[in-house]
Amino acid sequence: LVLVVLPLLIVVFTAQFLAPQLAFLIILPVYLVLFYLMGFGRFTAFRYLASRTHWRGVRFALTGSPWRYAWSYIGYMLLNVITLGWFAPAAQRRLAAPLWNGLRFGDREFKFDIDRARKVGLYGPFTVFWLGGVVSYFVFMRVAIALAGDMMPKTASEPSLAFIAFVYAALLAWAVVLSVLSAPYQAAILR
């Protein structure tokens, strides 16, 4: 948090306060660095877990480049943004391939078969999750606005404690709904 998040937040807030017209040009590279670090961290975390795992006295290992994986991660996340999330199932498969293909158990190599992975239907459960997320968002917003009409603050500087509690309760309820909607998709990813 101190080495990564704090400097990124300082850059973002400085850009917003000192140059609001140019903030986008300054903040975009910061987000790209953040996505790169997320990809790098995902690979190195998997490598760390593999190197610390033993089974019957034989250690696992992960080969490959975290730098290359991080660039792939950035590319797939950008495609995800462009496609409004619809590239996520394909990105999940493609990002799993270097992790599982690079995994070793002693002198044995794991093999990730992308063609076999494509036979597992991901887009059906993903469609349910995606559409359910969008529909439930608008339903929750409509219900929340209807129920919170009297609790809404009259001025932006004075939100009531009841209103804040209501907003967090509604977000928690929506998170539960999203978790239930995403369960079939997550199960398909694991398969």
Side-chain angles (χ1 to χ4, degrees), residues 2 14 18 41 50 74 77 108 122 132 135 137-138 142 153 159 170 179 187 189:
V2 173
T14 303
L18 297 181
I74 284 180
M77 291 307 109
R108 301 276 181 138
L122 291 182
V135 169
Y137 171 78
F138 286 111
R142 178 74 176 134
S179 296
I189 286 288

Side-chain angles (χ1 to χ4, degrees), residues 17-175:
F17 288 119
L18 297 181
Q21 296 82 9
L22 301 175
F24 177 75
L25 295 174
I26 297 168
I27 294 172
L28 181 63
V30 169
Y31 280 109
L32 289 175
V33 167
L34 188 60
F35 276 125
Y36 185 84
L37 291 174
M38 288 169 61
F40 186 87
R42 184 175 176 184
F43 186 92
T44 54
F46 197 81
R47 182 171 61 191
Y48 177 83
L49 287 173
S51 68
R52 301 305 188 271
T53 303
H54 299 257
W55 187 58
R56 295 189 176 191
V58 180
R59 184 186 297 262
F60 286 83
L62 180 64
T63 62
S65 169
W67 310 100
R68 192 174 321 128
Y69 186 86
W71 284 115
S72 298
Y73 188 87
I74 284 180
Y76 293 143
M77 291 307 109
L78 289 175
L79 284 172
N80 239 353
V81 170
I82 291 168
T83 62
L84 299 177
W86 285 98
F87 190 72
Q92 291 267 343
R93 285 186 189 124
R94 292 176 183 175
L95 287 170
L99 295 177
W100 292 105
N101 281 332
L103 192 61
R104 307 287 183 262
F105 176 64
D107 61 349
R108 301 276 181 138
E109 296 180 1
F110 282 69
K111 176 74 175 122
F112 181 81
D113 187 0
I114 191 81
D115 293 326
R116 189 168 171 200
R118 285 186 178 123
K119 291 179 183 175
V120 175
L122 291 182
Y123 276 98
F126 182 77
T127 302
V128 170
F129 169 56
W130 196 91
L131 291 176
V134 170
V135 169
S136 65
Y137 171 78
F138 286 111
V139 168
F140 269 90
M141 288 300 291
R142 178 74 176 134
V143 169
I145 290 171
L147 292 176
D150 294 336
M151 288 188 279
M152 283 192 178
K154 305 301 181 237
T155 62
S157 62
E158 297 181 8
S160 68
L161 186 59
F163 179 73
I164 293 171
F166 177 78
V167 168
Y168 279 106
L171 287 174
L172 179 64
W174 188 49

